[in-house]
């Protein structure tokens, strides 16, 4: 099984920056996509950014130009650099890992970390 441990969440003021980290452990062989999702109170969990094993990235329109996802292969860690934060970025951020293709796809989730942006 895959274990995902997140860190870096907290309280920042609008316009500030925050860097989230997600460390993967356990049976991580074959993981081909990792990413970040977020969920605000009363709303569904939405995609923030993903990165593939080939370093292809994908971002939600609302964070393009402000957030950057990256990976550290040696440390089995994925990062999310968040700049120019806005109050509407406030949410619980979840790390995600995906393994397999088609019908055999499996998803793993971290426990979530709170990001709060004050104005």
């Amino acid at each position: 099984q895959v274990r995902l441990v997140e860190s870096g969440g907290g309280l920042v003021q609008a316009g500030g920056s925050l860097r989230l980290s997600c460390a993967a452990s356990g049976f991580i062989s074959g993981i081909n996509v990792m990413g970040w999702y977020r969920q605000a109170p009363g709303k569904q969990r939405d995609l923030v950014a993903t990165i593939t094993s080939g370093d292809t990235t994908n971002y939600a329109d609302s964070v393009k130009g402000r957030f950057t996802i990256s990976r550290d292969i040696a440390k089995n860690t994925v990062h999310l650099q968040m700049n120019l934060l806005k109050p509407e970025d406030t949410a619980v951020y979840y790390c995600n890992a995906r393994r397999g293709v088609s019908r055999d796809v499996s998803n793993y989730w971290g426990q979530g970390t709170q990001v709060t942006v004050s104005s």
Side-chain angles (χ1 to χ4, degrees):
Q1 190 173 346
V2 175
R3 183 189 181 201
L4 304 174
V5 179
E6 298 140 315
S7 62
L11 173 65
V12 297
Q13 294 193 206
S17 298
L18 209 57
R19 184 177 175 85
L20 305 183
S21 297
C22 174
S25 61
F27 183 56
I28 60 174
S29 178
I31 295 293
N32 47 19
V33 183
M34 294 192 70
W36 292 90
Y37 293 71
R38 66 187 182 186
Q39 186 170 22
K43 300 180 66 176
Q44 66 180 7
R45 188 174 300 184
D46 293 325
L47 168 78
V48 177
T50 59
I51 185 167
T52 70
S53 58
D55 288 328
T56 298
T57 57
N58 181 46
Y59 297 91
D61 288 340
S62 60
V63 306
K64 285 182 178 178
R66 299 189 297 122
F67 291 10
T68 302
I69 188 170
S70 62
R71 63 167 60 195
D72 186 332
I73 298 176
K75 296 182 178 180
N76 297 315
T77 302
V78 174
H79 305 282
L80 183 68
Q81 179 66 47
M82 304 184 292
N83 299 323
L84 299 172
L85 283 162
K86 306 173 181 180
E88 43 266 51
D89 293 319
T90 296
V92 176
Y93 284 69
Y94 296 91
C95 182
N96 170 259
R98 189 175 304 145
R99 172 162 54 209
V101 295
S102 298
R103 192 181 299 176
D104 294 327
V105 169
S106 296
N107 279 282
Y108 305 91
W109 296 92
Q111 79 287 349
T113 184
Q114 178 70 47
V115 171
T116 302
V117 184
S118 62
S119 59

